[in-house]
Amino acid sequence: MTVVGETVRRAQPTDVGAICGLVRELAEYEKLLDQCTVRPEQIHTALFGDNPSVFAHVAESDGGVVGTAIWFLNFSTWDGVNGIYLEDLYVQPASRGSGMGSALLAALAAECTAKGYTRLSWSVLDWNTPSIGFYESLGAVAQDEWTTFRMTGTALEALAQRVSP
């Protein structure tokens, strides 16, 4: 897919370093860089290993990767079919406004419609008003009635230990 002179395509193994760099830029933007420990080999295995669990599209401009959409499949028990959960969408600041963010989301919407998936979902930090406005301009609707939960570290380990061996 080409938009305004840029290209959006499925990620390839040669994109792993760029994707990792974009993930770190996103973590920095979200003021969470200290929590970002991802390594290129992890991204490579997740995207291109024997049993890929994650997928990605990249946006290119002038031959360089300047944006990415990293996603995985979820499942709607109500619809009985898969959907896409967008884990990360990031376009470098210098390339914003060129249509690449829209093109990345359009590529995921096309994946959904081509495969019969009924949902494209993601989360956004409540303080990220530019992104919220962008998503709403595309027709996305905030799910304000839902609260996201996360369990990590010692709480995750403590709960896991409740399972009998």
Side-chain angles (χ1 to χ4, degrees), residues 36-155:
C36 185
T37 61
V38 70
R39 297 182 319 274
E41 57 271 18
Q42 292 171 306
I43 296 288
H44 187 274
T45 299
L47 289 171
F48 305 108
D50 291 338
N51 191 19
S53 57
V54 178
F55 309 92
H57 283 71
V58 295
E60 288 183 314
S61 180
D62 297 325
V65 174
V66 297
T68 191
I70 302 169
W71 55 279
F72 54 89
L73 296 179
N74 59 17
F75 184 78
S76 170
T77 55
W78 290 12
D79 294 340
V81 297
N82 288 104
I84 287 178
Y85 186 85
L86 174 61
E87 180 64 23
D88 286 335
L89 175 70
Y90 184 75
V91 175
Q92 292 177 321
S95 296
R96 292 182 190 153
S98 67
M100 282 195 259
S102 297
L104 284 163
L105 285 171
L108 298 189
E111 289 271 344
C112 286
T113 58
K115 295 183 177 171
Y117 302 159
T118 57
R119 296 180 182 183
L120 172 56
S121 309
W122 62 93
S123 298
V124 61
L125 292 167
D126 59 5
W127 57 259
N128 192 347
T129 54
S131 292
I132 292 169
F134 167 65
Y135 299 141
E136 289 175 342
S137 77
L138 296 175
V141 178
Q143 302 292 295
D144 294 332
E145 67 275 12
W146 292 89
T147 300
T148 302
F149 283 85
R150 178 177 295 159
M151 185 177 289
T152 63
T154 56

